[in-house]
Amino acid sequence: MNISFTKSGRLKPKPSSEALGFGKLTTDYMFIMDYDAGRGWYDPKIVPYSPIPLDPSTCVLHYGQGIFEGLKAYRSPDGRVLLFRPEENARRLNNSCDRTCIPPLDENDILEAITELVRLEKDWIPSAEGTSLYIRPFIIATDPFLGVHPSRTYMFIIILGPVGNYYPTGINPIKILVEDEYVRAVAGGTGEAKTMGNYAASLKAQDKAEKLGCIQVLWLDGIHRKYVEEVGSMNVFFKIGGKVITPALSGSILPGITRMSSMELLKKHGYGVEERALSIDEILHAHKTGTLEESFGTGTAAVISPIGELLYKGSNYMVNNGAIGPVTSMLYDTLTGIQSGRLPDEFGWTFEVK
Ligand SMILES: *Cc1c(COP(=O)(O)O)cnc(C)c1O
């Protein structure tokens, strides 16, 4: 791919790592590539970060034909720049394209676009523990047309921003609301694709959870309101009676790369992982009988997030007395260690940007 480059006249000051938070800052440049039904994907370019003008009738603004990805670049102690399984993000981006009638990209082009931009912006990668450069690739439908129809033009854009901890509270156990009124997705819908609309659908429940003092929502399935699915933007795991259980990918759950990696690590550490339907009743029963040992969410943004308390139908249920359990901390330490190059990567998961 021949990526053209426009130099920025003025660079932004780099923040100190204490001030990072999540999603507040963007870097100096962005990648853009256009699509037209006659030409395919064309004109890849890296340009100064700036607003993009859109016609008020633009497709994505009305019907939400848009998808995204999220991954991170890490600075290793010896100064290397590492990505974590980026080829999985490229593959998933194309799966999300397929579900939303967006024309697929060449997965090598996606990786090349990410690595070119990250290489250019490598001075933005913070090095303090728990920090990284968040990478947000996304695609929007750009036809100026109010009819409901797949767009004939698109933009593929990548933006970057330095990040610290996802939750202001750091890696502390979170309290979550088990949501039995609103649903995120059903099989046959768009739950297994990373579409923008899934997030629009989640906001009302998230708002309710925050009002009840919770940080996230634990979604139940949309048909029986009984089986656990995901926690906000994370996949979810429960450890019950020595066994680690995560909901099977039933069509309404996003197939997380952190989920998949956690399962591989758990197997290596001798834990059987059951991928199956897990009902809220089974979890509450385990709580009652003292076998609910740990629970955590997995996702790129927060990596591993311990769950310390559930709120369900007005009652509170503590998990592991609200403390971080041993499996949760093993996964957090191992994953963040591999991702940031502090631990050896025997799986071949890291991808160095040279
Ligand atoms: C992105 C996302 C995840 C986590 O996926 P990772 O690849 O682990 O970052 C989980 N659930 C939803 C709804 C998501 O959008």
mmCIF file with all atom_site columns, all heavy atoms in Angstrom, residues 68-70 89 92 184 191 193-194 198-199 230-235 254-259 298-301, ligand 1:
data_model
loop_
_atom_site.group_PDB
_atom_site.id
_atom_site.type_symbol
_atom_site.label_atom_id
_atom_site.label_alt_id
_atom_site.label_comp_id
_atom_site.label_asym_id
_atom_site.label_entity_id
_atom_site.label_seq_id
_atom_site.pdbx_PDB_ins_code
_atom_site.Cartn_x
_atom_site.Cartn_y
_atom_site.Cartn_z
_atom_site.occupancy
_atom_site.B_iso_or_equiv
_atom_site.pdbx_formal_charge
_atom_site.auth_seq_id
_atom_site.auth_comp_id
_atom_site.auth_asym_id
_atom_site.auth_atom_id
_atom_site.pdbx_PDB_model_num
ATOM   1   N N   . PHE A 1 68  ? -16.303 -0.483  14.513 1.00 0.00 ? 68  PHE A N   1
ATOM   2   C CA  . PHE A 1 68  ? -14.998 -0.044  15.014 1.00 0.00 ? 68  PHE A CA  1
ATOM   3   C C   . PHE A 1 68  ? -14.212 -1.201  15.584 1.00 0.00 ? 68  PHE A C   1
ATOM   4   O O   . PHE A 1 68  ? -14.699 -2.324  15.714 1.00 0.00 ? 68  PHE A O   1
ATOM   5   C CB  . PHE A 1 68  ? -15.161 1.091   16.020 1.00 0.00 ? 68  PHE A CB  1
ATOM   6   C CG  . PHE A 1 68  ? -15.848 0.710   17.300 1.00 0.00 ? 68  PHE A CG  1
ATOM   7   C CD1 . PHE A 1 68  ? -15.095 0.393   18.419 1.00 0.00 ? 68  PHE A CD1 1
ATOM   8   C CD2 . PHE A 1 68  ? -17.228 0.661   17.401 1.00 0.00 ? 68  PHE A CD2 1
ATOM   9   C CE1 . PHE A 1 68  ? -15.708 0.045   19.616 1.00 0.00 ? 68  PHE A CE1 1
ATOM   10  C CE2 . PHE A 1 68  ? -17.853 0.317   18.591 1.00 0.00 ? 68  PHE A CE2 1
ATOM   11  C CZ  . PHE A 1 68  ? -17.092 0.007   19.704 1.00 0.00 ? 68  PHE A CZ  1
ATOM   12  N N   . GLU A 1 69  ? -12.980 -0.924  15.946 1.00 0.00 ? 69  GLU A N   1
ATOM   13  C CA  . GLU A 1 69  ? -12.100 -1.877  16.616 1.00 0.00 ? 69  GLU A CA  1
ATOM   14  C C   . GLU A 1 69  ? -11.385 -1.133  17.736 1.00 0.00 ? 69  GLU A C   1
ATOM   15  O O   . GLU A 1 69  ? -11.433 0.103   17.806 1.00 0.00 ? 69  GLU A O   1
ATOM   16  C CB  . GLU A 1 69  ? -11.061 -2.452  15.641 1.00 0.00 ? 69  GLU A CB  1
ATOM   17  C CG  . GLU A 1 69  ? -11.496 -3.741  14.974 1.00 0.00 ? 69  GLU A CG  1
ATOM   18  C CD  . GLU A 1 69  ? -11.824 -4.834  15.986 1.00 0.00 ? 69  GLU A CD  1
ATOM   19  O OE1 . GLU A 1 69  ? -11.136 -4.930  17.021 1.00 0.00 ? 69  GLU A OE1 1
ATOM   20  O OE2 . GLU A 1 69  ? -12.789 -5.585  15.767 1.00 0.00 ? 69  GLU A OE2 1
ATOM   21  N N   . GLY A 1 70  ? -10.701 -1.868  18.603 1.00 0.00 ? 70  GLY A N   1
ATOM   22  C CA  . GLY A 1 70  ? -9.917  -1.233  19.661 1.00 0.00 ? 70  GLY A CA  1
ATOM   23  C C   . GLY A 1 70  ? -8.750  -2.131  20.005 1.00 0.00 ? 70  GLY A C   1
ATOM   24  O O   . GLY A 1 70  ? -8.938  -3.322  20.255 1.00 0.00 ? 70  GLY A O   1
ATOM   25  N N   . ASN A 1 89  ? -7.666  -8.444  15.441 1.00 0.00 ? 89  ASN A N   1
ATOM   26  C CA  . ASN A 1 89  ? -8.512  -7.250  15.269 1.00 0.00 ? 89  ASN A CA  1
ATOM   27  C C   . ASN A 1 89  ? -8.841  -7.035  13.791 1.00 0.00 ? 89  ASN A C   1
ATOM   28  O O   . ASN A 1 89  ? -9.960  -6.644  13.447 1.00 0.00 ? 89  ASN A O   1
ATOM   29  C CB  . ASN A 1 89  ? -7.820  -6.001  15.819 1.00 0.00 ? 89  ASN A CB  1
ATOM   30  C CG  . ASN A 1 89  ? -7.616  -6.071  17.316 1.00 0.00 ? 89  ASN A CG  1
ATOM   31  O OD1 . ASN A 1 89  ? -6.561  -6.512  17.766 1.00 0.00 ? 89  ASN A OD1 1
ATOM   32  N ND2 . ASN A 1 89  ? -8.605  -5.674  18.088 1.00 0.00 ? 89  ASN A ND2 1
ATOM   33  N N   . ARG A 1 92  ? -11.487 -9.514  12.846 1.00 0.00 ? 92  ARG A N   1
ATOM   34  C CA  . ARG A 1 92  ? -12.793 -9.161  13.418 1.00 0.00 ? 92  ARG A CA  1
ATOM   35  C C   . ARG A 1 92  ? -13.390 -7.931  12.747 1.00 0.00 ? 92  ARG A C   1
ATOM   36  O O   . ARG A 1 92  ? -14.600 -7.837  12.569 1.00 0.00 ? 92  ARG A O   1
ATOM   37  C CB  . ARG A 1 92  ? -12.659 -8.960  14.930 1.00 0.00 ? 92  ARG A CB  1
ATOM   38  C CG  . ARG A 1 92  ? -13.995 -8.825  15.624 1.00 0.00 ? 92  ARG A CG  1
ATOM   39  C CD  . ARG A 1 92  ? -13.839 -8.854  17.131 1.00 0.00 ? 92  ARG A CD  1
ATOM   40  N NE  . ARG A 1 92  ? -13.067 -7.729  17.622 1.00 0.00 ? 92  ARG A NE  1
ATOM   41  C CZ  . ARG A 1 92  ? -12.622 -7.624  18.869 1.00 0.00 ? 92  ARG A CZ  1
ATOM   42  N NH1 . ARG A 1 92  ? -12.866 -8.567  19.751 1.00 0.00 ? 92  ARG A NH1 1
ATOM   43  N NH2 . ARG A 1 92  ? -11.933 -6.572  19.254 1.00 0.00 ? 92  ARG A NH2 1
ATOM   44  N N   . ARG A 1 184 ? -29.038 -5.966  25.450 1.00 0.00 ? 184 ARG A N   1
ATOM   45  C CA  . ARG A 1 184 ? -28.041 -5.438  24.516 1.00 0.00 ? 184 ARG A CA  1
ATOM   46  C C   . ARG A 1 184 ? -28.212 -6.020  23.113 1.00 0.00 ? 184 ARG A C   1
ATOM   47  O O   . ARG A 1 184 ? -28.078 -5.316  22.116 1.00 0.00 ? 184 ARG A O   1
ATOM   48  C CB  . ARG A 1 184 ? -26.637 -5.776  25.031 1.00 0.00 ? 184 ARG A CB  1
ATOM   49  C CG  . ARG A 1 184 ? -25.506 -5.095  24.297 1.00 0.00 ? 184 ARG A CG  1
ATOM   50  C CD  . ARG A 1 184 ? -24.144 -5.635  24.704 1.00 0.00 ? 184 ARG A CD  1
ATOM   51  N NE  . ARG A 1 184 ? -23.793 -6.797  23.940 1.00 0.00 ? 184 ARG A NE  1
ATOM   52  C CZ  . ARG A 1 184 ? -23.038 -6.801  22.842 1.00 0.00 ? 184 ARG A CZ  1
ATOM   53  N NH1 . ARG A 1 184 ? -22.504 -5.678  22.409 1.00 0.00 ? 184 ARG A NH1 1
ATOM   54  N NH2 . ARG A 1 184 ? -22.804 -7.906  22.179 1.00 0.00 ? 184 ARG A NH2 1
ATOM   55  N N   . GLY A 1 191 ? -25.099 -8.288  17.874 1.00 0.00 ? 191 GLY A N   1
ATOM   56  C CA  . GLY A 1 191 ? -24.296 -8.389  19.093 1.00 0.00 ? 191 GLY A CA  1
ATOM   57  C C   . GLY A 1 191 ? -22.910 -8.949  18.909 1.00 0.00 ? 191 GLY A C   1
ATOM   58  O O   . GLY A 1 191 ? -21.997 -8.612  19.647 1.00 0.00 ? 191 GLY A O   1
ATOM   59  N N   . ALA A 1 193 ? -21.020 -8.468  16.317 1.00 0.00 ? 193 ALA A N   1
ATOM   60  C CA  . ALA A 1 193 ? -20.190 -7.547  15.516 1.00 0.00 ? 193 ALA A CA  1
ATOM   61  C C   . ALA A 1 193 ? -19.908 -6.299  16.348 1.00 0.00 ? 193 ALA A C   1
ATOM   62  O O   . ALA A 1 193 ? -20.676 -5.957  17.241 1.00 0.00 ? 193 ALA A O   1
ATOM   63  C CB  . ALA A 1 193 ? -20.921 -7.169  14.231 1.00 0.00 ? 193 ALA A CB  1
ATOM   64  N N   . LYS A 1 194 ? -18.781 -5.625  16.074 1.00 0.00 ? 194 LYS A N   1
ATOM   65  C CA  . LYS A 1 194 ? -18.453 -4.421  16.840 1.00 0.00 ? 194 LYS A CA  1
ATOM   66  C C   . LYS A 1 194 ? -19.061 -3.217  16.119 1.00 0.00 ? 194 LYS A C   1
ATOM   67  O O   . LYS A 1 194 ? -18.363 -2.439  15.469 1.00 0.00 ? 194 LYS A O   1
ATOM   68  C CB  . LYS A 1 194 ? -16.935 -4.298  16.990 1.00 0.00 ? 194 LYS A CB  1
ATOM   69  C CG  . LYS A 1 194 ? -16.495 -4.077  18.430 1.00 0.00 ? 194 LYS A CG  1
ATOM   70  C CD  . LYS A 1 194 ? -15.002 -4.199  18.602 1.00 0.00 ? 194 LYS A CD  1
ATOM   71  C CE  . LYS A 1 194 ? -14.523 -3.476  19.819 1.00 0.00 ? 194 LYS A CE  1
ATOM   72  N NZ  . LYS A 1 194 ? -14.926 -4.074  21.097 1.00 0.00 ? 194 LYS A NZ  1
ATOM   73  N N   . ASN A 1 198 ? -24.691 -1.049  18.704 1.00 0.00 ? 198 ASN A N   1
ATOM   74  C CA  . ASN A 1 198 ? -24.736 -1.847  19.939 1.00 0.00 ? 198 ASN A CA  1
ATOM   75  C C   . ASN A 1 198 ? -24.505 -0.956  21.149 1.00 0.00 ? 198 ASN A C   1
ATOM   76  O O   . ASN A 1 198 ? -25.064 -1.183  22.217 1.00 0.00 ? 198 ASN A O   1
ATOM   77  C CB  . ASN A 1 198 ? -23.643 -2.921  19.930 1.00 0.00 ? 198 ASN A CB  1
ATOM   78  C CG  . ASN A 1 198 ? -23.913 -4.032  18.936 1.00 0.00 ? 198 ASN A CG  1
ATOM   79  O OD1 . ASN A 1 198 ? -25.028 -4.211  18.477 1.00 0.00 ? 198 ASN A OD1 1
ATOM   80  N ND2 . ASN A 1 198 ? -22.865 -4.767  18.607 1.00 0.00 ? 198 ASN A ND2 1
ATOM   81  N N   . TYR A 1 199 ? -23.650 0.022   20.978 1.00 0.00 ? 199 TYR A N   1
ATOM   82  C CA  . TYR A 1 199 ? -23.323 0.901   22.098 1.00 0.00 ? 199 TYR A CA  1
ATOM   83  C C   . TYR A 1 199 ? -24.439 1.902   22.362 1.00 0.00 ? 199 TYR A C   1
ATOM   84  O O   . TYR A 1 199 ? -24.738 2.210   23.518 1.00 0.00 ? 199 TYR A O   1
ATOM   85  C CB  . TYR A 1 199 ? -21.963 1.564   21.862 1.00 0.00 ? 199 TYR A CB  1
ATOM   86  C CG  . TYR A 1 199 ? -20.865 0.598   22.250 1.00 0.00 ? 199 TYR A CG  1
ATOM   87  C CD1 . TYR A 1 199 ? -20.496 -0.438  21.412 1.00 0.00 ? 199 TYR A CD1 1
ATOM   88  C CD2 . TYR A 1 199 ? -20.296 0.663   23.508 1.00 0.00 ? 199 TYR A CD2 1
ATOM   89  C CE1 . TYR A 1 199 ? -19.559 -1.374  21.801 1.00 0.00 ? 199 TYR A CE1 1
ATOM   90  C CE2 . TYR A 1 199 ? -19.354 -0.267  23.903 1.00 0.00 ? 199 TYR A CE2 1
ATOM   91  C CZ  . TYR A 1 199 ? -18.982 -1.280  23.042 1.00 0.00 ? 199 TYR A CZ  1
ATOM   92  O OH  . TYR A 1 199 ? -18.069 -2.210  23.442 1.00 0.00 ? 199 TYR A OH  1
ATOM   93  N N   . GLU A 1 230 ? -22.510 -10.540 28.807 1.00 0.00 ? 230 GLU A N   1
ATOM   94  C CA  . GLU A 1 230 ? -21.284 -9.729  28.827 1.00 0.00 ? 230 GLU A CA  1
ATOM   95  C C   . GLU A 1 230 ? -21.408 -8.672  29.921 1.00 0.00 ? 230 GLU A C   1
ATOM   96  O O   . GLU A 1 230 ? -22.487 -8.414  30.429 1.00 0.00 ? 230 GLU A O   1
ATOM   97  C CB  . GLU A 1 230 ? -21.112 -8.968  27.508 1.00 0.00 ? 230 GLU A CB  1
ATOM   98  C CG  . GLU A 1 230 ? -21.006 -9.848  26.311 1.00 0.00 ? 230 GLU A CG  1
ATOM   99  C CD  . GLU A 1 230 ? -20.426 -9.095  25.131 1.00 0.00 ? 230 GLU A CD  1
ATOM   100 O OE1 . GLU A 1 230 ? -19.338 -8.507  25.273 1.00 0.00 ? 230 GLU A OE1 1
ATOM   101 O OE2 . GLU A 1 230 ? -21.063 -9.091  24.075 1.00 0.00 ? 230 GLU A OE2 1
ATOM   102 N N   . VAL A 1 231 ? -20.297 -8.026  30.226 1.00 0.00 ? 231 VAL A N   1
ATOM   103 C CA  . VAL A 1 231 ? -20.307 -6.882  31.147 1.00 0.00 ? 231 VAL A CA  1
ATOM   104 C C   . VAL A 1 231 ? -19.908 -5.644  30.362 1.00 0.00 ? 231 VAL A C   1
ATOM   105 O O   . VAL A 1 231 ? -18.729 -5.463  30.063 1.00 0.00 ? 231 VAL A O   1
ATOM   106 C CB  . VAL A 1 231 ? -19.290 -7.042  32.288 1.00 0.00 ? 231 VAL A CB  1
ATOM   107 C CG1 . VAL A 1 231 ? -19.436 -5.895  33.275 1.00 0.00 ? 231 VAL A CG1 1
ATOM   108 C CG2 . VAL A 1 231 ? -19.479 -8.347  32.999 1.00 0.00 ? 231 VAL A CG2 1
ATOM   109 N N   . GLY A 1 232 ? -20.881 -4.799  30.024 1.00 0.00 ? 232 GLY A N   1
ATOM   110 C CA  . GLY A 1 232 ? -20.574 -3.570  29.290 1.00 0.00 ? 232 GLY A CA  1
ATOM   111 C C   . GLY A 1 232 ? -19.760 -3.894  28.055 1.00 0.00 ? 232 GLY A C   1
ATOM   112 O O   . GLY A 1 232 ? -20.203 -4.617  27.168 1.00 0.00 ? 232 GLY A O   1
ATOM   113 N N   . SER A 1 233 ? -18.553 -3.382  27.998 1.00 0.00 ? 233 SER A N   1
ATOM   114 C CA  . SER A 1 233 ? -17.700 -3.629  26.830 1.00 0.00 ? 233 SER A CA  1
ATOM   115 C C   . SER A 1 233 ? -16.675 -4.721  27.121 1.00 0.00 ? 233 SER A C   1
ATOM   116 O O   . SER A 1 233 ? -15.571 -4.701  26.590 1.00 0.00 ? 233 SER A O   1
ATOM   117 C CB  . SER A 1 233 ? -17.000 -2.331  26.458 1.00 0.00 ? 233 SER A CB  1
ATOM   118 O OG  . SER A 1 233 ? -16.329 -1.837  27.588 1.00 0.00 ? 233 SER A OG  1
ATOM   119 N N   . MET A 1 234 ? -17.047 -5.659  27.984 1.00 0.00 ? 234 MET A N   1
ATOM   120 C CA  . MET A 1 234 ? -16.134 -6.750  28.317 1.00 0.00 ? 234 MET A CA  1
ATOM   121 C C   . MET A 1 234 ? -16.872 -8.087  28.259 1.00 0.00 ? 234 MET A C   1
ATOM   122 O O   . MET A 1 234 ? -18.073 -8.161  28.532 1.00 0.00 ? 234 MET A O   1
ATOM   123 C CB  . MET A 1 234 ? -15.589 -6.572  29.743 1.00 0.00 ? 234 MET A CB  1
ATOM   124 C CG  . MET A 1 234 ? -14.746 -5.333  29.948 1.00 0.00 ? 234 MET A CG  1
ATOM   125 S SD  . MET A 1 234 ? -14.058 -5.279  31.612 1.00 0.00 ? 234 MET A SD  1
ATOM   126 C CE  . MET A 1 234 ? -15.517 -4.891  32.581 1.00 0.00 ? 234 MET A CE  1
ATOM   127 N N   . ASN A 1 235 ? -16.121 -9.145  27.993 1.00 0.00 ? 235 ASN A N   1
ATOM   128 C CA  . ASN A 1 235 ? -16.648 -10.504 28.188 1.00 0.00 ? 235 ASN A CA  1
ATOM   129 C C   . ASN A 1 235 ? -16.540 -10.820 29.668 1.00 0.00 ? 235 ASN A C   1
ATOM   130 O O   . ASN A 1 235 ? -15.849 -10.132 30.411 1.00 0.00 ? 235 ASN A O   1
ATOM   131 C CB  . ASN A 1 235 ? -15.865 -11.500 27.336 1.00 0.00 ? 235 ASN A CB  1
ATOM   132 C CG  . ASN A 1 235 ? -16.055 -11.246 25.853 1.00 0.00 ? 235 ASN A CG  1
ATOM   133 O OD1 . ASN A 1 235 ? -15.144 -10.799 25.161 1.00 0.00 ? 235 ASN A OD1 1
ATOM   134 N ND2 . ASN A 1 235 ? -17.259 -11.491 25.360 1.00 0.00 ? 235 ASN A ND2 1
ATOM   135 N N   . LEU A 1 254 ? -19.958 -10.574 21.819 1.00 0.00 ? 254 LEU A N   1
ATOM   136 C CA  . LEU A 1 254 ? -18.798 -10.154 21.031 1.00 0.00 ? 254 LEU A CA  1
ATOM   137 C C   . LEU A 1 254 ? -17.623 -11.097 21.323 1.00 0.00 ? 254 LEU A C   1
ATOM   138 O O   . LEU A 1 254 ? -17.267 -11.283 22.487 1.00 0.00 ? 254 LEU A O   1
ATOM   139 C CB  . LEU A 1 254 ? -18.457 -8.703  21.431 1.00 0.00 ? 254 LEU A CB  1
ATOM   140 C CG  . LEU A 1 254 ? -17.597 -7.802  20.556 1.00 0.00 ? 254 LEU A CG  1
ATOM   141 C CD1 . LEU A 1 254 ? -16.116 -8.183  20.625 1.00 0.00 ? 254 LEU A CD1 1
ATOM   142 C CD2 . LEU A 1 254 ? -18.055 -7.753  19.118 1.00 0.00 ? 254 LEU A CD2 1
ATOM   143 N N   . PRO A 1 255 ? -17.033 -11.701 20.299 1.00 0.00 ? 255 PRO A N   1
ATOM   144 C CA  . PRO A 1 255 ? -15.901 -12.607 20.544 1.00 0.00 ? 255 PRO A CA  1
ATOM   145 C C   . PRO A 1 255 ? -14.624 -11.831 20.868 1.00 0.00 ? 255 PRO A C   1
ATOM   146 O O   . PRO A 1 255 ? -13.883 -11.416 19.977 1.00 0.00 ? 255 PRO A O   1
ATOM   147 C CB  . PRO A 1 255 ? -15.781 -13.392 19.230 1.00 0.00 ? 255 PRO A CB  1
ATOM   148 C CG  . PRO A 1 255 ? -16.453 -12.563 18.195 1.00 0.00 ? 255 PRO A CG  1
ATOM   149 C CD  . PRO A 1 255 ? -17.411 -11.633 18.871 1.00 0.00 ? 255 PRO A CD  1
ATOM   150 N N   . GLY A 1 256 ? -14.373 -11.632 22.143 1.00 0.00 ? 256 GLY A N   1
ATOM   151 C CA  . GLY A 1 256 ? -13.254 -10.788 22.575 1.00 0.00 ? 256 GLY A CA  1
ATOM   152 C C   . GLY A 1 256 ? -11.912 -11.479 22.400 1.00 0.00 ? 256 GLY A C   1
ATOM   153 O O   . GLY A 1 256 ? -11.784 -12.689 22.606 1.00 0.00 ? 256 GLY A O   1
ATOM   154 N N   . ILE A 1 257 ? -10.916 -10.689 22.060 1.00 0.00 ? 257 ILE A N   1
ATOM   155 C CA  . ILE A 1 257 ? -9.554  -11.210 21.912 1.00 0.00 ? 257 ILE A CA  1
ATOM   156 C C   . ILE A 1 257 ? -8.941  -11.426 23.302 1.00 0.00 ? 257 ILE A C   1
ATOM   157 O O   . ILE A 1 257 ? -8.195  -12.374 23.526 1.00 0.00 ? 257 ILE A O   1
ATOM   158 C CB  . ILE A 1 257 ? -8.729  -10.256 21.027 1.00 0.00 ? 257 ILE A CB  1
ATOM   159 C CG1 . ILE A 1 257 ? -9.362  -10.214 19.629 1.00 0.00 ? 257 ILE A CG1 1
ATOM   160 C CG2 . ILE A 1 257 ? -7.263  -10.688 20.943 1.00 0.00 ? 257 ILE A CG2 1
ATOM   161 C CD1 . ILE A 1 257 ? -8.966  -9.031  18.783 1.00 0.00 ? 257 ILE A CD1 1
ATOM   162 N N   . THR A 1 258 ? -9.299  -10.580 24.260 1.00 0.00 ? 258 THR A N   1
ATOM   163 C CA  . THR A 1 258 ? -8.847  -10.785 25.637 1.00 0.00 ? 258 THR A CA  1
ATOM   164 C C   . THR A 1 258 ? -9.506  -12.031 26.224 1.00 0.00 ? 258 THR A C   1
ATOM   165 O O   . THR A 1 258 ? -8.880  -12.786 26.967 1.00 0.00 ? 258 THR A O   1
ATOM   166 C CB  . THR A 1 258 ? -9.187  -9.556  26.512 1.00 0.00 ? 258 THR A CB  1
ATOM   167 O OG1 . THR A 1 258 ? -8.987  -8.371  25.731 1.00 0.00 ? 258 THR A OG1 1
ATOM   168 C CG2 . THR A 1 258 ? -8.301  -9.483  27.735 1.00 0.00 ? 258 THR A CG2 1
ATOM   169 N N   . ARG A 1 259 ? -10.761 -12.274 25.868 1.00 0.00 ? 259 ARG A N   1
ATOM   170 C CA  . ARG A 1 259 ? -11.482 -13.501 26.291 1.00 0.00 ? 259 ARG A CA  1
ATOM   171 C C   . ARG A 1 259 ? -10.743 -14.731 25.791 1.00 0.00 ? 259 ARG A C   1
ATOM   172 O O   . ARG A 1 259 ? -10.419 -15.651 26.552 1.00 0.00 ? 259 ARG A O   1
ATOM   173 C CB  . ARG A 1 259 ? -12.908 -13.462 25.733 1.00 0.00 ? 259 ARG A CB  1
ATOM   174 C CG  . ARG A 1 259 ? -13.721 -14.741 25.924 1.00 0.00 ? 259 ARG A CG  1
ATOM   175 C CD  . ARG A 1 259 ? -15.063 -14.618 25.173 1.00 0.00 ? 259 ARG A CD  1
ATOM   176 N NE  . ARG A 1 259 ? -15.919 -15.766 25.387 1.00 0.00 ? 259 ARG A NE  1
ATOM   177 C CZ  . ARG A 1 259 ? -15.853 -16.893 24.697 1.00 0.00 ? 259 ARG A CZ  1
ATOM   178 N NH1 . ARG A 1 259 ? -14.962 -17.034 23.737 1.00 0.00 ? 259 ARG A NH1 1
ATOM   179 N NH2 . ARG A 1 259 ? -16.690 -17.892 24.961 1.00 0.00 ? 259 ARG A NH2 1
ATOM   180 N N   . THR A 1 298 ? -13.254 -9.198  30.836 1.00 0.00 ? 298 THR A N   1
ATOM   181 C CA  . THR A 1 298 ? -12.048 -9.138  29.999 1.00 0.00 ? 298 THR A CA  1
ATOM   182 C C   . THR A 1 298 ? -12.296 -8.265  28.774 1.00 0.00 ? 298 THR A C   1
ATOM   183 O O   . THR A 1 298 ? -13.328 -8.390  28.118 1.00 0.00 ? 298 THR A O   1
ATOM   184 C CB  . THR A 1 298 ? -11.636 -10.539 29.491 1.00 0.00 ? 298 THR A CB  1
ATOM   185 O OG1 . THR A 1 298 ? -12.637 -11.029 28.598 1.00 0.00 ? 298 THR A OG1 1
ATOM   186 C CG2 . THR A 1 298 ? -11.442 -11.528 30.633 1.00 0.00 ? 298 THR A CG2 1
ATOM   187 N N   . GLY A 1 299 ? -11.356 -7.381  28.482 1.00 0.00 ? 299 GLY A N   1
ATOM   188 C CA  . GLY A 1 299 ? -11.472 -6.545  27.284 1.00 0.00 ? 299 GLY A CA  1
ATOM   189 C C   . GLY A 1 299 ? -10.220 -5.705  27.119 1.00 0.00 ? 299 GLY A C   1
ATOM   190 O O   . GLY A 1 299 ? -9.513  -5.462  28.105 1.00 0.00 ? 299 GLY A O   1
ATOM   191 N N   . THR A 1 300 ? -9.955  -5.270  25.915 1.00 0.00 ? 300 THR A N   1
ATOM   192 C CA  . THR A 1 300 ? -8.726  -4.515  25.645 1.00 0.00 ? 300 THR A CA  1
ATOM   193 C C   . THR A 1 300 ? -8.591  -3.282  26.533 1.00 0.00 ? 300 THR A C   1
ATOM   194 O O   . THR A 1 300 ? -7.522  -3.012  27.076 1.00 0.00 ? 300 THR A O   1
ATOM   195 C CB  . THR A 1 300 ? -8.706  -4.093  24.160 1.00 0.00 ? 300 THR A CB  1
ATOM   196 O OG1 . THR A 1 300 ? -8.655  -5.280  23.384 1.00 0.00 ? 300 THR A OG1 1
ATOM   197 C CG2 . THR A 1 300 ? -7.503  -3.213  23.846 1.00 0.00 ? 300 THR A CG2 1
ATOM   198 N N   . ALA A 1 301 ? -9.685  -2.534  26.684 1.00 0.00 ? 301 ALA A N   1
ATOM   199 C CA  . ALA A 1 301 ? -9.597  -1.255  27.391 1.00 0.00 ? 301 ALA A CA  1
ATOM   200 C C   . ALA A 1 301 ? -9.206  -1.452  28.852 1.00 0.00 ? 301 ALA A C   1
ATOM   201 O O   . ALA A 1 301 ? -8.253  -0.841  29.330 1.00 0.00 ? 301 ALA A O   1
ATOM   202 C CB  . ALA A 1 301 ? -10.913 -0.500  27.270 1.00 0.00 ? 301 ALA A CB  1
HETATM 203 C C1  . LIG B 2 .   ? -14.700 -4.895  22.154 1.00 0.00 ? 1   LIG B C1  1
HETATM 204 C C2  . LIG B 2 .   ? -15.671 -5.587  23.017 1.00 0.00 ? 1   LIG B C2  1
HETATM 205 C C3  . LIG B 2 .   ? -15.301 -6.613  23.921 1.00 0.00 ? 1   LIG B C3  1
HETATM 206 C C4  . LIG B 2 .   ? -13.864 -6.974  24.207 1.00 0.00 ? 1   LIG B C4  1
HETATM 207 O O1  . LIG B 2 .   ? -13.140 -7.438  23.111 1.00 0.00 ? 1   LIG B O1  1
HETATM 208 P P1  . LIG B 2 .   ? -11.546 -7.433  23.175 1.00 0.00 ? 1   LIG B P1  1
HETATM 209 O O2  . LIG B 2 .   ? -11.146 -7.945  21.837 1.00 0.00 ? 1   LIG B O2  1
HETATM 210 O O3  . LIG B 2 .   ? -11.149 -8.327  24.278 1.00 0.00 ? 1   LIG B O3  1
HETATM 211 O O4  . LIG B 2 .   ? -11.128 -6.020  23.401 1.00 0.00 ? 1   LIG B O4  1
HETATM 212 C C5  . LIG B 2 .   ? -16.300 -7.260  24.623 1.00 0.00 ? 1   LIG B C5  1
HETATM 213 N N1  . LIG B 2 .   ? -17.597 -6.922  24.486 1.00 0.00 ? 1   LIG B N1  1
HETATM 214 C C6  . LIG B 2 .   ? -17.993 -5.937  23.647 1.00 0.00 ? 1   LIG B C6  1
HETATM 215 C C7  . LIG B 2 .   ? -19.438 -5.610  23.548 1.00 0.00 ? 1   LIG B C7  1
HETATM 216 C C8  . LIG B 2 .   ? -17.045 -5.240  22.895 1.00 0.00 ? 1   LIG B C8  1
HETATM 217 O O5  . LIG B 2 .   ? -17.453 -4.254  22.076 1.00 0.00 ? 1   LIG B O5  1
#
